Amino acid sequence: MTTTTTVHLVRHGEVHNPGKILYGLLPGYRLSERGAAMARLAAEHLADADVTRVVVSPLLRAQQTAAPIAAAHGLSPVVDQRVIESANHFEGMRVGHGEGRLTNPRHWPYFVNPLRPSWGEAYRSQEARMVAAILDARATAEGHEAVIVSHQLPIWVARLSAERRPLFHDPRRRQCGLCSVTSLHFVGPHLADVSYAEPAAALYPGAVDATGGKFT
């Protein structure tokens, strides 16, 4: 009998980031109060799903987002290094301001190949690790549903890959809001459909995203 399995890719909630820096792989960045509320809304959205596995990035903000989702299903999250945030040359800086100004000549060598991109982990590398983690989650939860709590860029790259679109993209056009749920629906081992939801959208006005920009 052919089984149907869904793997939900959940982006973490808003992070407490008063300096509005690009935090990337830096440790210790936790959810803000708004971010914790977003995580609860994501958990409510998935409460009736047949979730049998929760996988999470090792970074604190992702683990805090995964906690209420896992608790709602009586599960313990499984940490997977493959779903971590991508590395970025601008980590620890305010992009467009001060040391992170794009007009700073020391940054120019990192813009030689935006198709890769040359300022951080290659899109193909992110694709390979995310797809491997997704397929493992699908196999483990076969016939049920799995949740992977990760980060905006790896999730978006995974979606582009699933939809067979080019991995190079305009970051401003990513459809991957805070605590959004990108769902990959499989029939047997084959991807059949992709859907998207924003259960925390009501909390977006005034929220700060990973680059320090605000939702309006």
Side-chain angles (χ1 to χ4, degrees), residues 72-106:
H73 298 278
L75 299 170
S76 296
V78 177
V79 175
D80 191 333
Q81 187 74 24
R82 294 175 298 182
V83 303
I84 199 168
E85 178 65 283
S86 59
N88 192 301
H89 165 72
F90 292 96
E91 191 174 279
M93 306 179 199
R94 289 189 66 191
V95 178
H97 301 272
E99 181 64 14
R101 287 183 296 110
L102 304 185
T103 53
N104 186 331
R106 85 176 186 89

Side-chain angles (χ1 to χ4, degrees), residues 42-183:
E44 290 174 12
H45 176 77
L46 294 166
D48 294 331
D50 183 20
V51 176
T52 60
R53 186 170 182 81
V54 176
V55 176
V56 63
S57 158
L59 294 176
L60 178 60
R61 58 190 183 272
Q63 296 190 32
Q64 290 179 320
T65 301
I69 298 172
H73 298 278
L75 299 170
S76 296
V78 177
V79 175
D80 191 333
Q81 187 74 24
R82 294 175 298 182
V83 303
I84 199 168
E85 178 65 283
S86 59
N88 192 301
H89 165 72
F90 292 96
E91 191 174 279
M93 306 179 199
R94 289 189 66 191
V95 178
H97 301 272
E99 181 64 14
R101 287 183 296 110
L102 304 185
T103 53
N104 186 331
R106 85 176 186 89
H107 299 316
W108 294 350
Y110 296 94
F111 290 97
V112 295
N113 185 5
L115 297 175
R116 182 184 183 272
S118 49
W119 55 82
E121 182 186 3
Y123 293 137
R124 290 296 178 192
S125 171
Q126 295 178 61
E127 177 189 35
R129 61 181 173 85
M130 286 295 292
V131 168
I134 290 166
L135 293 181
D136 282 353
R138 187 216 67 81
T140 302
E142 186 164 8
H144 304 278
E145 301 178 50
V147 172
I148 296 177
V149 181
S150 183
H151 308 268
Q152 186 191 62
L153 180 53
I155 291 174
W156 184 242
V157 166
R159 179 172 173 180
L160 292 175
S161 176
E163 295 178 340
R164 300 184 182 278
R165 290 194 274 164
L167 301 185
F168 171 68
H169 62 278
D170 181 344
R172 297 168 297 182
R173 300 182 67 114
R174 294 174 189 158
Q175 187 182 39
C176 190
L178 294 165
C179 272
S180 60
V181 182
T182 301
S183 301

